[in-house]
Amino acid sequence: MKKDSVTLIDNRTGKQVELDLLKPTCGPMTMDVRSLYKELGIFTYDPGFMATASCWSDITYLDGEKGILEYRGYPIEQLAEGSTYLETCYLLLHGELPSKEEYDEFEHSIKHHTMLHEQLLRFYSGFRRDSHPMAIMVGVVAALSAFYHDDEDIHDPQDRLAAAHRLIAKMPTIAAWSYRYAQGMPFVYPDNSLGFSENFLHMMFSMPTEKYTVDPLLAKALDVILILHADHEQNASTSTVRLAGSSQANPFAVIASGIASLWGPAHGGANEAVIKMLTEINESGKPLSSFIERAKDKNDRFRLMGFGHRVYKNHDPRAKIIREICHEMLAQDKCQNPVHQKLLDTAMELEKVALEDDYFKSRNLYPNVDFYSGIIFLGMGIPLNMFTVLFAVGRTVGWVSQWNEMMADPQSKIGRPRQLYTGAPTRDYVGIKKRS
Ligand code: CMC
């Protein structure tokens, strides 16, 4: 039987090299180019990793052509329907759904790691009140590395799990407190009697002076959104986490690097950018078509935020689920707000016009997860600059699971891409006095 391989011929020398094709559980065969440099003395060039698998992974599978997203083999639609965020965290971290006993133990551990060291509170006051909460989050999560460093052995699976639990548990506290700090409101400590999403809403919105009851509809919607954001294989922030972690750096510092990468508007910052764009459209008084034309104009930096995806060339399955939640929430009397309703109406119109436009059709540009999530967050009373923070809260489990997978792999190597050098060739240094 013929071996699954590809033979490359260097046309300059006629030298051949046979490269093995690695077979994934699902998805395209992957050419193993590791021997290429040794055999032919050449590198591969793939900026932005358009066709390069940077690692193997058992965690998440996505098929961008078919619009499939699965965590550990379970379709995202089924998890959104039947699971909870915390159960999904267990699944992503451990590879299997937990038994009742395993779940209880996991929940207990997460709930008992939600507090922050009191000393960490002082970090907040170092920030300006108008700091973006993502800036605070990057700083505070990185600061955790100072609290958990010398005692941690990243080569010990138990220590890695402890770091993972701490990060999943503390992220909502850090996130909610970055909002409270900006508002000049007292920090609210976690309440272990509440579920993961309920607790986040409690820390965001409750006041010491009044009893706060978490709205179960909002808690449920938030839980589903967190599930949808929990992992997305080797995206920019996850790849950042893997690269930073590959040098065996402190896990808290590593996750801070992931948060920094997520912040960009081409990645997790898009949910905030979508609302800004929809507001601009509504306030401009200009027809929608003028924005569509701007998005198509290569000389204009304006893009339709919440549209397009590097991998999904079909509907983003997360967007489909989130679109329904968005409609359900706005249909509820208590969530109705004319401004939010108008944003949703504009979003719906924009979606319709773009999906019928040849520019978007020919480039397979569909609404992504961020197109609707912002409207839901607004409906929950979550301010604009907290949207990406919530993405980070949800994605934390993905980052720690991917980091843990990489660290557990004995074959793991420090990430060190090569380059196609295009600078000056070797030349001699000339002293400043002799330079004309
Ligand atoms: N509006 C207008 N044109 C677009 C858009 C858009 N939102 N997205 C892509 N295009 C065009 C792009 O100009 C290019 O056109 P051409 O072939 O004529 O040069 C073509 O579509 C392919 O785009 P690309 O930039 O090569 O695609 P990419 O895979 O490098 O970028 C993306 C993917 C998500 C960065 C991009 O679609 C984008 O900037 N979208 C808006 C930001 C956004 O919504 N980001 C959230 C992504 S989902 C959340 C997450 O997982 O992070």
Side-chain angles (χ1 to χ4, degrees), residues 240-284:
T240 303
V241 162
R242 279 189 178 257
L243 195 56
S246 75
S247 71
Q248 307 186 6
N250 176 289
F252 298 91
V254 163
I255 299 306
S257 74
I259 299 173
S261 168
L262 184 77
W263 191 3
H267 192 6
N271 49 19
E272 187 178 335
V274 168
I275 298 300
K276 286 185 178 154
M277 174 189 73
L278 294 174
T279 307
E280 188 191 337
I281 294 173
N282 286 348
E283 288 174 356
S284 71

Side-chain angles (χ1 to χ4, degrees), residues 41-60:
I42 56 178
F43 295 149
T44 52
Y45 177 64
D46 185 17
F49 299 97
M50 300 292 285
T52 298
S54 60
C55 61
W56 63 265
S57 181
D58 291 347
I59 302 172
T60 292

Side-chain angles (χ1 to χ4, degrees), residues 50 232 235 262 265-268 270 274 295-296 298 302-311 313 316 318 359-360 363 365 368-370 391 395:
M50 300 292 285
H232 213 230
N235 54 83
L262 184 77
H267 192 6
V274 168
K296 296 188 319 193
K298 295 285 167 226
F302 178 82
R303 279 191 161 195
L304 272 200
M305 298 315 286
F307 261 79
H309 198 275
R310 166 60 60 81
V311 186
K313 300 304 170 195
D316 178 341
R318 303 168 300 172
Y359 174 94
F360 293 90
R363 288 167 180 76
L365 299 171
N368 58 48
V369 68
D370 289 320
F391 194 150
R395 183 56 56 84

Side-chain angles (χ1 to χ4, degrees), residues 3 9 41 44 58 135 193 292 306-307 314 355 362 367 380 390 393 398 411:
K3 204 174 155 196
I9 306 170
T44 52
D58 291 347
S193 70
I292 298 275
F307 261 79
N314 197 322
L355 291 180
S362 63
M380 287 177 177
L390 273 168
V393 170
Q411 309 286 318

Side-chain angles (χ1 to χ4, degrees), residues 8 17 19 33-44:
L8 285 189
V17 61
L19 299 171
V33 296
R34 281 176 293 181
S35 62
L36 195 60
Y37 178 63
K38 202 170 142 225
E39 296 293 329
L40 297 184
I42 56 178
F43 295 149
T44 52

Side-chain angles (χ1 to χ4, degrees), residues 1 9 90 111 120 131 137 201 251 272 286 290 341 380:
M1 202 178 75
I9 306 170
Y90 184 96
K111 284 190 170 175
L120 205 65
S131 303
M137 206 153 180
L201 293 172
E272 187 178 335
K286 291 182 190 155
S290 69
Q341 192 60 55
M380 287 177 177

Side-chain angles (χ1 to χ4, degrees), residues 254-357:
V254 163
I255 299 306
S257 74
I259 299 173
S261 168
L262 184 77
W263 191 3
H267 192 6
N271 49 19
E272 187 178 335
V274 168
I275 298 300
K276 286 185 178 154
M277 174 189 73
L278 294 174
T279 307
E280 188 191 337
I281 294 173
N282 286 348
E283 288 174 356
S284 71
K286 291 182 190 155
L288 209 60
S289 56
S290 69
F291 290 90
I292 298 275
E293 289 315 310
R294 280 187 64 194
K296 296 188 319 193
D297 181 357
K298 295 285 167 226
N299 297 318
D300 191 328
R301 288 173 64 83
F302 178 82
R303 279 191 161 195
L304 272 200
M305 298 315 286
F307 261 79
H309 198 275
R310 166 60 60 81
V311 186
Y312 292 121
K313 300 304 170 195
N314 197 322
H315 281 282
D316 178 341
R318 303 168 300 172
K320 236 168 129 187
I321 300 168
I322 227 161
R323 189 178 193 265
E324 279 170 28
I325 303 175
C326 193
H327 282 286
E328 272 170 32
M329 267 192 58
L330 289 177
Q332 300 283 330
D333 278 343
K334 55 187 157 207
C335 297
Q336 259 184 15
N337 171 316
V339 177
H340 302 163
Q341 192 60 55
K342 176 86 180 105
L343 289 174
L344 181 64
D345 291 346
T346 306
M348 297 298 297
E349 214 183 320
L350 196 61
E351 184 191 46
K352 188 168 177 294
V353 176
L355 291 180
E356 284 167 2
D357 190 294

